[in-house]
Amino acid sequence: MPAISQETQTKPYLALHQVSKKYGGVVALKGVDFTILPGEIHGLVGENGSGKSTLVKIITGVVRPEKGARIEINGQKVEISNPFAAFCLGIQVVHQDLSLFPNLSVAENIVYHRYLEKSQRVVNWRAIEAEATQIMDKLGVELSPQVEVSHLPVADQQLVAICRAIASEARLIILDEPTSSLTRREVNRLFSFLKELKAQGISVLFISHRLDEVLEISDRITVFRDGQKVGTFNQEEVDKNRLSFLMTGKEISFHPVKGTTSESKTEVLKLENLTKKGQYEKVSFSVYRGEILGLIGPRGAGRSEVALTIFGLNPADEGKIYFEGKSVVIDSAQRAIQLGIGYVPENRLLQGLVLEHSVENNLVITVLDQIIGKAGLTDQQKKRNLSQKAVRDFNIKTETVEVPVKTLSGGNQQKVVLAKWMLTSPHLLLLDNPTHGVDVAAKESIYQSIKELSQRGLSFIFISDEEIEVLNNCDRILVMKNGQIIGEFSPAEVSEEELRKMILE
C-alpha cells in the first residue's frame, strides 16, 4: 500500500526533513520525513524502540538531530535547540504522567506559566480563575477552577494538562499514551475534546499502543519501525491488522485465545460473599484449574481491590476464601505466596520492579529462599541459572541478565514481572492490566505466554480495561460495577459492543 500524503492540498504546520539521530553506534532514527497539518489529529504508532520517543524529543528540543536535518514551522526553517524554543514555537507535550502540580488548584495549573514568564510577585487570584475559566469554557471543560488537582480523577487531570497547553497558545499538542489510565467513557470525553481542538485549528500528535483508538480518532497515521518511517496513511486506508503488520513485519492475529482445554472443573479459588466496606460487597465467584477468568468494569468498580484481598494486602471485612478446597485466611502477601498465589500489579514501575537493579535481581527476588544457603550466602551459580532460564522461557530481550531492568522496553519489563512469579511455581496468578503500556507485538507475546501456562494447569484472574482483550483471551468474563459482580458471560455469549454498553450504563 503506498503512503498517502495530503501536503499538496494543505501546507504543513510542522515538517521534518531527513531527520536522523544516533546514540553512539545505535541508530535511533534514520532519514525520517514527517509532517503534521494544521488542525489535524495525527496518529503515531510503532513498537517500543521504533523511534517514536526520539522523534518527539527532537520536535520538542530535548535532543538535537544529526547534521543535514531540516525542521520547518509553517514553511519556515526553525532551530529547536531546547524545550523553551519548542514552547515559544507553540509546541506542547502532555506526558503520560501529566506533570501537573498536585497541590495546586485547577486554575493555578492552567495559567502558572503567565507568572513565570512575567516574573510577577503579586498574585491576582481573581484574574487567575477568570483566565482559567475562560479557557475551559472555550473548550467545553466543566471543572471548578478552585479544586485541587490531586482530588481529580485521571481523566479530568488530562483535560487540565491540555487546557494548560492551550493557555500557553499551543498550536501543536503532543499526547503520549493519553488513554492508558482512562475508562472508555473517559476516552469518549477526551476524543470529543480533541475534536474541539481540531475545529479550532490546533494540531494533535496522538501516540498510543491502542490501535483501535488510534484508528478511531486520527485523520492520518504514521507508522515507525526500527527507526524508520514505514509510511503515512489516511485513516480509512488501514485497519488494525494492517497497522500491526506494518509495525512489526509479522502477521498478528486478533482472535479468541482459549486458555484451558480441560473439561475438568477442579476448583482452585472460591470466594463467598467477600465484602470490604467502601470497596466491594458480597463478591462471590470461583476460578478453575487452567482457567483464564476475565474481570472487567469501570475504574473504581472494586476489581483491583478484590485482587489485593486475594493476595493478602487488603483483608476483607466479611466473607470466606477457599483455596484448593480448604478455607483459608490470607492476611499477608507471604501467606498468599505460600499458598501458591502470585500477583502482577498494574503499575510495574512502582509496584512490580526495582528499576535500578539488574534483570537478574528482579527475577529472583520472589525465590530468595531457593538461592540462599544455610550460611546465609547467595549461591551465585544457582541465581544465574534461574534467571537465564526465565529469560529463555519468556523470550525476554535483554543484552545480559546483569543490565538494569530500567533499560528494557515496557513489554520486556512486563515479561520480567511475569517470569519472577513463575519461578515461585504458583497455582493462581492475578494479573492487573498486564499489557498496560506495551506495544502490539509485546501484547501478543504476553497473551501467548498466558495461554501456554493455562494449558499447563495454571489459573489466572485477568483484570483488564479493554473489552476486546478479555473477549479474545479469557474463558469466562465477570463484569464488575459499583463494587459488585453484575454479570457473567462466556466470550461467545457477548459482543464487544454489548460488553462496553454494560460497563458504561
Side-chain angles (χ1 to χ4, degrees):
M1 180 186 296
I4 305 299
S5 175
Q6 296 179 349
E7 284 84 300
T8 55
Q9 301 171 13
T10 307
K11 187 159 97 175
Y13 167 73
L14 172 73
L16 280 66
H17 303 285
Q18 289 300 298
V19 171
S20 299
K21 183 63 184 177
K22 294 179 182 178
Y23 295 99
V26 178
V27 178
L29 284 180
K30 184 178 180 182
V32 169
D33 294 328
F34 180 74
T35 61
I36 298 177
L37 306 178
E40 174 187 38
I41 301 176
H42 194 119
L44 180 61
V45 298
E47 291 187 270
N48 291 326
S50 64
K52 304 188 306 296
S53 296
T54 301
L55 180 80
V56 170
K57 288 176 181 177
I58 288 172
I59 294 172
T60 55
V62 176
V63 300
R64 301 292 297 273
E66 305 298 327
K67 288 183 179 179
R70 180 181 175 91
I71 303 176
E72 298 174 354
I73 298 286
N74 291 324
Q76 300 297 313
K77 183 180 179 181
V78 296
E79 295 289 335
I80 309 180
S81 55
N82 54 57
F84 183 70
F87 174 85
C88 293
L89 289 167
I91 300 171
Q92 290 273 318
V93 185
V94 177
H95 294 286
Q96 196 169 350
D97 63 3
L98 301 180
S99 300
L100 295 170
F101 299 105
N103 61 322
L104 298 184
S105 70
V106 167
E108 289 171 292
N109 270 276
I110 289 175
V111 301
Y112 82 92
H113 66 281
R114 296 274 195 246
Y115 287 80
L116 293 180
E117 291 169 2
K118 299 175 183 178
S119 299
Q120 289 182 236
R121 297 185 178 183
V122 178
V123 177
N124 186 332
W125 296 107
R126 185 173 295 177
I128 284 177
E129 290 187 8
E131 184 177 354
T133 300
Q134 183 181 20
I135 292 166
M136 290 191 288
D137 288 346
K138 180 180 177 183
L139 298 170
V141 176
E142 297 179 359
L143 294 174
S144 168
Q146 294 98 359
V147 69
E148 192 174 289
V149 160
S150 61
H151 297 156
L152 295 175
V154 173
D156 286 343
Q157 291 185 27
Q158 192 105 48
L159 299 183
V160 172
I162 297 173
C163 285
R164 180 178 63 185
I166 300 302
S168 304
E169 300 179 353
R171 303 311 301 166
L172 168 63
I173 298 177
I174 301 171
L175 300 179
D176 184 11
E177 296 290 343
T179 65
S180 61
S181 299
L182 306 187
T183 65
R184 183 61 222 191
R185 189 189 299 275
E186 292 166 338
V187 169
N188 291 342
R189 185 181 178 194
L190 174 64
F191 283 4
S192 295
F193 188 61
L194 296 185
K195 290 172 183 175
E196 180 62 32
L197 297 182
K198 175 183 173 180
Q200 297 182 29
I202 297 168
S203 303
V204 175
L205 181 59
F206 186 91
I207 306 168
S208 179
H209 291 309
R210 295 184 175 182
L211 300 186
D212 290 327
E213 293 176 355
V214 173
L215 286 162
E216 180 182 349
I217 192 61
S218 303
D219 300 305
R220 293 189 301 154
I221 301 167
T222 293
V223 182
F224 272 29
R225 186 168 81 222
D226 298 329
Q228 295 180 284
K229 187 181 84 170
V230 177
T232 298
F233 307 90
N234 287 335
Q235 178 272 335
E236 64 271 13
E237 294 179 311
V238 287
D239 59 16
K240 188 175 180 180
N241 288 320
R242 179 64 175 161
L243 284 179
S244 299
F245 177 76
L246 292 168
M247 288 166 55
T248 65
K250 299 181 291 186
E251 295 287 352
I252 295 179
S253 59
F254 295 95
H255 54 75
V257 177
K258 300 308 295 174
T260 177
T261 56
S262 172
E263 294 183 0
S264 69
K265 283 288 187 180
T266 305
E267 199 171 59
V268 173
L269 175 76
K270 182 179 180 181
L271 308 183
E272 276 190 358
N273 295 319
L274 219 58
T275 298
K276 177 77 171 181
K277 188 175 180 181
Q279 296 183 7
Y280 56 82
E281 182 179 5
K282 297 189 182 302
V283 171
S284 300
F285 63 80
S286 296
V287 184
Y288 301 96
R289 179 156 294 133
E291 180 181 36
I292 305 173
L293 178 68
L295 186 56
I296 192 168
R299 286 183 178 265
R303 306 167 310 169
S304 297
E305 289 79 4
V306 169
L308 288 170
T309 294
I310 297 169
F311 193 60
L313 296 177
N314 185 38
D317 299 324
E318 299 176 19
K320 292 185 177 181
I321 301 176
Y322 297 88
F323 195 76
E324 296 186 327
K326 298 179 181 178
S327 177
V328 294
V329 175
I330 309 177
D331 52 8
S332 68
Q334 290 75 17
R335 177 57 176 152
I337 294 169
Q338 288 172 359
L339 289 168
I341 301 172
Y343 172 58
V344 176
E346 179 177 14
N347 192 329
R348 61 178 174 270
L349 300 181
L350 292 179
Q351 300 168 301
L353 297 168
V354 185
L355 293 175
E356 301 298 328
H357 279 243
S358 67
V359 171
E360 181 176 57
N361 284 346
N362 275 276
L363 285 167
V364 302
I365 196 169
T366 55
V367 289
L368 293 177
D369 58 322
Q370 296 181 30
I371 62 172
I372 296 177
K374 292 182 180 179
L377 300 176
T378 300
D379 185 330
Q380 295 295 338
Q381 189 57 52
K382 192 167 186 179
K383 176 183 177 182
R384 182 58 49 87
N385 291 342
L386 278 173
S387 60
Q388 289 182 338
K389 183 177 186 300
V391 166
R392 289 194 302 271
D393 288 348
F394 279 82
N395 192 27
I396 299 169
K397 294 180 181 178
T398 179
E399 188 176 340
T400 71
V401 295
E402 297 171 312
V403 302
V405 74
K406 68 180 181 181
T407 64
L408 272 58
S409 69
N412 284 295
Q413 288 178 352
Q414 193 70 317
K415 289 181 185 179
V416 170
V417 180
L418 282 168
K420 80 173 185 181
W421 284 111
M422 288 312 302
L423 290 176
T424 68
S425 301
H427 298 178
L428 172 68
L429 200 52
L430 310 170
L431 308 175
D432 195 346
N433 277 291
T435 63
H436 175 79
V438 303
D439 62 55
V440 63
K443 277 188 176 185
E444 183 66 17
S445 179
I446 291 169
Y447 297 152
Q448 192 60 35
S449 295
I450 293 169
K451 172 189 174 183
E452 291 171 358
L453 292 168
S454 72
Q455 290 174 339
R456 283 156 43 188
L458 179 59
S459 305
F460 293 88
I461 295 178
F462 191 133
I463 300 171
S464 176
D465 292 329
E466 301 180 48
E467 295 85 4
I468 195 65
E469 187 167 62
V470 293
L471 286 168
N472 282 355
N473 294 284
C474 299
D475 300 296
R476 281 188 302 139
I477 300 167
L478 300 179
V479 180
M480 195 168 183
K481 200 168 182 181
N482 299 323
Q484 296 182 311
I485 304 294
I486 64 168
E488 176 181 328
F489 307 93
S490 75
E493 292 176 327
V494 64
S495 69
E496 182 181 359
E497 187 57 38
E498 289 169 336
L499 199 55
R500 181 175 296 146
K501 186 177 179 182
M502 192 181 312
I503 292 167
L504 292 179
E505 283 185 347

